[in-house]
Amino acid sequence: MFTATAESFLKQAREIQEEELRRFVSRVAAVLQGPELGPEAADCLQRLHLTVAATKYPRKLDGKFVELLQTLLCSPKCPEQIQLLCAAILREMSPCNDLILSCDEIQDAKLLSLVSSVLLAQKGEVSAVGQRIVKVLERRVPESQSARYLLPILSNVISLSPESLTEEQTSVISKKMADWLRYASTQQGVAQPSGGFFSNPRTRQPGPVTEIDGAIATDFFTVLSVGQYYTEDQWLNMQAFSMLRNWLLCYGAKGLKAPNSDNKSGTDRSVMAMVSATSTPGRLLPPKDRLREKAFEYCQRLIEQSNRRPLKKDDGDLQKACLIEAVTIMDVICKQDSSYVYRAVSFLKILHGRISGDATYARALLPIAQLFVNHGKMAAVDSDAIYKHLLTDIPAQLFHNPSLAFEFVQFCKDNTQLFTETSSIFRQSFPNLFKFLAWNSPPLISEFVDLLPFLLDAGTAVEIFHLLLDLPCLTAALDIQLRSAALPTSERAACDPAVKPTTCLEAFRHPKYKSMFQYLLRTKSTPEDAPERLIPLRQLLGSLASSPRVMQCAETVPVLLELFFRVVAEFADGTLINQLVVLLLQRSDQLYEIPAFKDDVYRVLSSQLVMLCRLRPALIVELSTEILEFSGAVSNIQNKEVIFTHMVWAIGEYMSVSYDKRCTVEQISRFFETLEAMLFEITQLRPLASTPSYAPRAISVLMATLTKLAARSQDLIPRVSMFLSKMRTFVQSPAVTSVYSKEDLEEILIRATELMNLLKMPSVAQFVFTPPVDVASTRFQREVNDSLPFALRIVTRLLEPAPGFVPG
């Protein structure tokens, strides 16, 4: 059966049928019941483990075979490799009704670890496992066994069910963890003898552990201490640190006194906390307080060790990871006990000054900033320099680091309250944050969906609107910035202003384009600057429009634009709505040249234009100049038909005294004449070869809007009626039938006929198209509008009797 190569075995394991699996299990059972559990047994169990682990659905194994696995797992004579494989298979089978394992009587730490891992996979045994692990750890574990096999299980227990441990038990473990962290041996471990013929019983005495730079350690052991071999207490030290943060979060704050509720000032409490922080170190503390103290000292030691130059690159990565963890744990400790705040803040101020200029430590700046966000006010320190460096330099220089980008945006999400303060450095730096999105748009889109609402208010809405529309352009500019930075110094000199740049790289250094790039790549908000300056830059960066990264970024813009308008609608006043409508019409001409991007943006802008008009119908009158200019351009039908159509619909819907008392007959006539000229322009008959094709929807909406305006100013009814009557000639013209489909022409003619018939009853037309003020927003009128095509057909049937009908 299992004869495939290693590359295809996984696929074969997924495709194995139940009957074939049953036969293989029988073979494995025979091997396991043989006289010797050697390589063949291990190989069979490895294959079986892969088979049960390769599918998403659980595999079923015979109950007797499951019982055999449990027997082997608990057998003291069973080889360790076989025990490990049995435990792995049983974990994959969980939850399983055939399991009868129990950890109550197990004394051996390694076996207890394996059995407990299976029981935890059962989910219902978490509390029992936790109780047993703590009971074993409470007593002194024999030297032949190691407690280090149990700490990973304990870590899983507190992750799954922190409440499974009692207060007394957590105190016991806290005391042990404090000792493991602070009092591990500073001598290296001894290599375990192989037992071979040449093994030397006179092994050389181990030397002291060293620092990460090779110097002999003169302080206590930490996870950054280096040795060729490690002792058991050193392993416990490292494991204790790995679970320390989770332990403190689960149990560190329990039993603490409530915050002081008297009338003392914040300054008095700060002084008391400072005195507490500098009190006698030899005082006897409760276990959890003592753990915090040892943990804080451990973190200080790690931060000091991070200043050493590692001999190996991997040690450097570990050094940075430990630094981040140490600062994060310090923050947890300060939240639980404010007496540590002053020590932490002063210590991390020095650390920040040391690492802020090193880009490789950028991720460590986030937990440092978080600690200052949480405790800076209490410590009465000025944190602006830390925030400014974080929000200004890091996004500008390291936007291309994907893990940093995610963590940075996550930091912003965790501190959204800081973006609501008007004078905040956080609020002013939002243009810089969009660099992360521009460069890492697919993985960060969901994060920005959560963050964007907190960046938006009346003061930032306009600038963020431009930022969103220019996001693909920003991606292209960041690409150029990176490529320019990679050039040799000799090639970075400024270009001759008199010579037109031929490439984007040359333009990046050209005086004509320099200010445009600087504006697009700005690090802080500049609401007073006009984005029109970017028009030449968008054209220049057109060569990068097909870049995969730019295309990916462009796909995220419609999603964020819809969210933008949804949020803005909640707080926008009339002035802001008017401003956004004007910008929407203007920016529809100023988009990065990606056809699919433009179509998607036009779709969103058109729907949001209607929403803005619905929020503020008066804008049709107030912005009549800008709207007439947009609606009177034939090019807008050709290039932006969807926006044009929605704009014309909004004119017909809201250009009414029902919505704005300032709507006069003269204003209605101005709109009518402009739209009449547009409809005439796109429906006039031309020679066959020069007849352009316009969207039938635009023609229908223009006809409907002209009819609505005429119903509100009935002097215009003859003009629109005459125009509508000519539509039959238009749709029957050979020049027109050659560029429009038969179905489209039929729809245009039907709509023209229906509208013309409705105008034959001016009072009905006026009621349908111009409701009284008191019913303009009622459900009745909304239903009339929703069913308007049906209403038009009814009127048509009334005015056009069926064939053969002779009036009496």
Side-chain angles (χ1 to χ4, degrees):
M1 178 184 80
F2 291 104
T3 59
T5 62
E7 292 78 8
S8 63
F9 186 78
L10 182 61
K11 180 180 179 182
Q12 185 181 4
R14 287 173 176 158
E15 295 175 352
I16 183 174
Q17 300 301 312
E18 291 299 322
E19 180 60 26
E20 192 175 6
L21 175 61
R22 188 186 62 78
R23 291 197 300 269
F24 179 63
V25 168
S26 297
R27 177 187 159 195
V28 176
V31 173
L32 294 179
Q33 291 171 334
E36 185 178 345
L37 297 176
E40 184 183 4
D43 181 63
C44 288
L45 287 174
Q46 286 174 342
R47 290 170 180 263
L48 179 59
H49 176 250
L50 179 58
T51 302
V52 298
T55 58
K56 294 181 179 179
Y57 59 90
R59 294 281 198 177
K60 292 185 178 180
L61 298 182
D62 181 71
K64 291 184 177 179
F65 182 75
V66 173
E67 185 178 344
L68 175 60
L69 292 178
Q70 296 176 82
T71 301
L72 290 173
L73 172 60
C74 297
S75 172
K77 297 181 180 180
C78 182
E80 182 178 344
Q81 184 184 16
I82 301 298
Q83 286 181 311
L84 288 169
L85 288 168
C86 288
I89 294 171
L90 291 172
R91 283 197 298 271
E92 288 296 334
M93 297 300 299
S94 297
C96 176
N97 295 329
D98 295 322
L99 282 179
I100 55 173
L101 287 174
S102 173
C103 60
D104 292 341
E105 304 300 326
I106 299 177
Q107 302 296 326
D108 182 79
K110 192 179 295 186
L111 178 58
L112 178 58
S113 173
L114 290 176
V115 172
S116 297
S117 69
V118 177
L119 293 175
L120 288 181
Q122 286 287 95
K123 303 298 184 185
E125 302 289 336
V126 178
S127 180
V129 170
Q131 296 297 317
R132 183 59 185 164
I133 294 293
V134 172
K135 187 174 291 186
V136 173
L137 288 174
E138 282 178 343
R139 60 181 171 82
R140 182 180 294 275
V141 181
E143 291 185 7
S144 59
Q145 301 180 28
S146 176
R148 66 185 170 105
Y149 296 111
L150 303 179
L151 287 191
I153 302 298
L154 181 61
S155 181
N156 286 338
V157 167
I158 65 175
S159 295
L160 293 171
S161 179
E163 66 278 3
S164 62
L165 301 185
T166 66
E167 181 78 14
E168 183 180 354
Q169 289 172 329
T170 59
S171 295
V172 170
I173 301 300
S174 292
K175 181 178 183 301
K176 285 185 173 292
M177 286 183 69
D179 292 337
W180 291 332
L181 288 171
R182 186 63 177 83
Y183 300 115
S185 171
T186 55
Q187 295 294 309
Q188 295 189 40
V190 180
Q192 295 298 319
S194 62
F197 179 78
F198 294 101
S199 60
N200 183 6
R202 293 186 181 178
T203 308
R204 187 175 58 181
Q205 289 297 316
V209 295
T210 64
E211 298 290 0
I212 209 165
D213 59 358
I216 294 177
T218 58
D219 209 336
F220 61 90
F221 182 91
T222 73
V223 69
L224 287 179
S225 299
V226 179
Q228 189 173 3
Y229 303 101
Y230 295 103
T231 62
E232 290 301 323
D233 61 350
Q234 288 168 353
W235 282 115
L236 289 169
N237 176 284
M238 292 184 275
Q239 288 183 324
F241 176 68
S242 72
M243 61 183 288
L244 177 58
R245 180 173 21 145
N246 197 22
W247 183 269
L248 290 172
L249 289 171
C250 289
Y251 307 116
K254 286 187 178 179
L256 291 178
K257 293 181 180 179
N260 196 339
S261 58
D262 57 23
N263 295 324
K264 293 182 179 180
S265 67
T267 305
D268 290 339
R269 289 195 296 270
S270 298
V271 171
M272 291 172 65
M274 184 182 296
V275 171
S276 176
T278 57
S279 58
T280 306
R283 65 195 186 280
L284 186 62
L285 294 172
K288 293 177 183 179
D289 292 345
R290 181 169 177 269
L291 175 59
R292 275 196 296 271
E293 181 180 64
K294 299 307 178 186
F296 193 87
E297 293 173 0
Y298 195 99
C299 293
Q300 283 183 305
R301 169 106 165 96
L302 285 177
I303 292 172
E304 290 167 352
Q305 287 177 297
S306 70
N307 196 28
R308 295 178 179 271
R309 185 181 297 276
L311 298 179
K312 300 177 182 178
K313 181 185 182 299
D314 289 345
D315 287 344
D317 295 337
L318 175 64
Q319 189 181 43
K320 295 177 179 65
C322 289
L323 177 62
I324 293 170
E325 184 68 7
V327 176
T328 305
I329 291 174
M330 277 188 164
D331 190 20
V332 173
I333 292 171
C334 289
K335 288 179 182 177
Q336 295 178 355
D337 189 342
S338 60
S339 68
Y340 289 94
V341 168
Y342 291 93
R343 291 157 64 186
V345 165
S346 59
F347 199 75
L348 294 183
K349 271 267 191 182
I350 298 171
L351 173 64
H352 183 270
R354 174 165 63 81
I355 68 173
S356 59
D358 188 345
T360 63
Y361 280 94
R363 290 180 60 221
L365 298 176
L366 292 170
I368 293 175
Q370 186 64 64
L371 188 143
F372 278 88
V373 167
N374 294 337
H375 310 290
K377 287 185 178 179
M378 177 182 174
V381 295
D382 184 7
S383 308
D384 284 354
I386 291 174
Y387 302 151
K388 184 175 181 181
H389 174 262
L390 179 72
L391 295 160
T392 303
D393 297 343
I394 301 304
Q397 298 169 7
L398 300 172
F399 58 85
H400 50 84
N401 184 322
S403 59
L404 174 65
F406 178 81
E407 291 175 13
F408 200 107
V409 176
Q410 193 64 45
F411 167 82
C412 294
K413 280 179 57 180
D414 293 340
N415 297 281
T416 50
Q417 76 282 359
L418 300 173
F419 291 93
T420 60
E421 301 172 8
T422 305
S423 60
S424 166
I425 295 172
F426 288 80
R427 187 176 183 274
Q428 296 169 5
S429 66
F430 68 82
N432 229 10
L433 300 181
F434 281 88
K435 293 175 184 175
F436 286 126
L437 177 62
W439 195 259
N440 309 277
S441 46
L444 286 185
I445 179 65
S446 62
E447 306 302 316
F448 262 85
V449 166
D450 294 335
L451 180 61
L452 184 61
F454 296 95
L455 303 179
L456 283 168
D457 60 28
T460 62
V462 169
E463 190 172 0
I464 289 179
F465 177 65
H466 288 298
L467 274 170
L468 291 175
L469 293 179
D470 287 327
L471 207 58
C473 197
L474 175 59
T475 305
L478 291 170
D479 190 327
I480 298 300
Q481 179 184 353
L482 276 183
R483 284 198 266 168
S484 179
L487 290 174
T489 308
S490 57
E491 298 182 28
R492 296 187 203 173
C495 298
D496 184 353
V499 179
K500 185 177 181 179
T502 57
T503 67
C504 293
L505 272 174
E506 290 179 2
F508 190 73
R509 305 186 305 275
H510 195 280
K512 177 183 176 182
Y513 293 96
K514 188 174 182 180
S515 63
M516 301 179 198
F517 274 106
Q518 287 175 341
Y519 175 73
L520 190 57
L521 298 170
R522 64 195 182 279
T523 59
K524 63 180 182 179
S525 173
T526 54
E528 68 281 356
D529 285 1
E532 289 80 9
R533 66 163 78 177
L534 295 180
I535 295 176
L537 188 58
R538 293 190 197 99
Q539 298 169 350
L540 177 75
L541 294 173
S543 60
L544 294 175
S546 59
S547 160
R549 192 178 295 276
V550 173
M551 298 286 285
Q552 281 185 329
C553 176
E555 292 172 0
T556 67
V557 173
V559 175
L560 293 173
L561 268 180
E562 289 182 344
L563 174 63
F564 168 87
F565 282 105
R566 193 158 63 244
V567 174
V568 167
E570 296 176 0
F571 63 78
D573 59 9
T575 302
L576 179 57
I577 290 176
N578 286 6
Q579 192 176 6
L580 286 174
V581 169
V582 173
L583 289 174
L584 186 154
L585 299 177
Q586 291 175 348
R587 283 305 307 266
S588 62
D589 277 329
Q590 303 169 19
L591 296 176
Y592 198 35
E593 282 299 329
I594 304 176
F597 166 69
K598 293 177 72 172
D599 290 344
D600 288 341
V601 170
Y602 288 161
R603 173 183 54 79
V604 174
L605 293 183
S606 62
S607 63
Q608 300 307 317
L609 174 63
V610 171
M611 181 273 295
L612 293 174
C613 292
R614 186 179 299 116
L615 281 178
R616 184 171 171 76
L619 68 83
I620 302 295
V621 172
E622 294 171 352
L623 302 177
S624 58
T625 301
E626 292 84 355
I627 293 174
L628 284 170
E629 181 181 352
F630 179 85
S631 305
V634 176
S635 60
N636 288 333
I637 306 181
Q638 296 170 324
N639 303 326
K640 294 171 285 189
E641 181 270 331
V642 63
I643 298 180
F644 176 87
T645 301
H646 282 75
M647 185 73 262
V648 172
W649 180 89
I651 292 171
E653 186 70 12
Y654 299 113
M655 188 66 184
S656 166
V657 70
S658 300
Y659 292 101
D660 191 341
K661 298 295 185 183
R662 297 170 295 177
C663 177
T664 62
V665 172
E666 290 76 13
Q667 288 172 326
I668 292 176
S669 297
R670 285 176 60 205
F671 277 95
F672 183 91
E673 289 169 0
T674 298
L675 299 181
E676 182 186 41
M678 288 293 293
L679 185 58
F680 175 78
E681 175 66 24
I682 65 176
T683 58
Q684 65 175 315
L685 298 178
R686 296 179 175 87
L688 189 62
S690 62
T691 301
S693 174
Y694 296 96
R697 180 174 63 170
I699 296 174
S700 294
V701 171
L702 277 167
M703 292 190 302
T705 297
L706 287 172
T707 303
K708 291 179 182 180
L709 296 177
R712 296 163 195 161
S713 179
Q714 297 191 3
D715 291 345
L716 301 173
I717 289 179
R719 288 170 62 177
V720 72
S721 295
M722 182 180 67
F723 205 114
L724 293 172
S725 67
K726 294 179 180 180
M727 292 306 294
R728 181 175 297 275
T729 305
F730 169 74
V731 301
Q732 293 175 346
S733 166
V736 173
T737 56
S738 65
V739 294
Y740 289 95
S741 70
K742 181 180 178 181
E743 292 77 11
D744 289 339
L745 292 176
E746 285 180 356
E747 285 297 322
I748 291 173
L749 182 58
I750 289 172
R751 179 50 59 93
T753 303
E754 291 172 343
L755 292 170
M756 189 166 56
N757 286 336
L758 189 60
L759 288 176
K760 291 177 182 178
M761 297 185 292
S763 59
V764 174
Q766 186 174 21
F767 177 76
V768 171
F769 290 130
T770 311
V773 176
D774 57 343
V775 298
S777 301
T778 64
R779 177 182 174 185
F780 170 76
Q781 186 59 33
R782 287 197 301 272
E783 289 174 350
V784 167
N785 286 334
D786 292 340
S787 60
L788 186 57
F790 176 74
L792 292 175
R793 286 193 293 272
I794 293 297
V795 172
T796 300
R797 289 178 182 177
L798 290 173
L799 295 176
E800 294 184 2
F805 176 80
V806 179

